[in-house]
Amino acid sequence: MAKTKRVITILLRLLALGATVAAVVVMVTTHETANVLNLTFKAKYDNTPSFKYFVIAEAIVSCYTLIAIILSSKSLLWRLMVILDVFMAALLTSSISAALAIAYVGKKGNSHAGWLPICGQVPKFCDKVTGSLIAGFAAAIIYMLLCLYSLHAVLSPLLGVKP
């Protein structure tokens, strides 16, 4: 039974690793140039602090996930990983929220602040950002499932529950 738990945990972590790496790669390679009224501007992920935060947070979670896959389940640090999994899920959620807020403004604009939408001028940029956010959402959902499963795996022997 312990082997089954380990396999499920590794599979969830591999899925999360794939989603976070995909989100980082897509966001970092996102750039487009547009001409508006004879002015040239470049849309890149690093023009916005929220997108930078998203990339950094996803990269941190990717590194943590890789370390967690390598770490043995017999280690004493494995129980600490439940707490770290919750922290990583919160980090993913906060970074996606920040990036999604900026993406929404880029798509819809804000008439009260006088900000115009930019997705009409740089559609490829917006499409790639959307793809990166979808991968980030997938990683966050996987991490939520991982948190629930890890919590169950750690608490069930303590409570005397037979899975």
Side-chain angles (χ1 to χ4, degrees):
M1 194 62 162
K3 195 166 196 99
T4 305
K5 289 180 183 180
R6 179 75 176 148
V7 169
I8 291 172
T9 303
I10 288 177
L11 284 175
L12 285 172
R13 289 191 191 284
L14 285 173
L15 287 172
L17 179 64
T20 55
V21 168
V24 169
V25 168
V26 171
M27 186 64 89
V28 168
T29 60
T30 299
H31 56 7
E32 188 174 356
T33 303
N35 291 321
V36 178
L37 301 172
N38 292 331
L39 296 172
T40 303
F41 72 94
K42 294 180 183 178
K44 298 186 297 187
Y45 87 95
D46 59 355
N47 291 342
T48 308
S50 294
F51 288 161
K52 286 182 191 177
Y53 172 58
F54 176 76
V55 168
I56 291 168
E58 295 283 326
I60 288 170
V61 173
S62 295
C63 292
Y64 165 76
T65 304
L66 191 59
I67 292 168
I69 289 170
I70 295 169
L71 189 65
S72 171
S73 62
K74 292 178 174 57
S75 170
L76 291 177
L77 293 175
W78 190 75
R79 293 195 190 267
L80 176 67
M81 285 176 50
V82 174
I83 296 168
L84 291 174
D85 286 347
V86 171
F87 178 74
M88 293 300 155
L91 183 64
L92 285 172
T93 304
S94 70
S95 70
I96 291 165
S97 299
L100 189 60
I102 294 302
Y104 182 82
V105 170
K107 184 157 182 81
K108 300 287 185 178
N110 186 337
S111 60
H112 300 292
W115 298 336
L116 299 174
I118 65 161
C119 284
Q121 287 77 31
V122 286
K124 290 179 187 175
F125 173 79
C126 291
D127 291 343
K128 283 188 170 186
V129 167
T130 302
S132 182
L133 288 173
I134 289 170
F137 270 117
I141 290 169
I142 293 166
Y143 251 93
M144 294 294 179
L145 291 172
L146 186 61
C147 287
L148 291 173
Y149 188 76
S150 296
L151 198 61
H152 172 71
V154 168
L155 291 180
S156 62
L158 296 176
L159 299 175
V161 178
K162 302 262 181 186

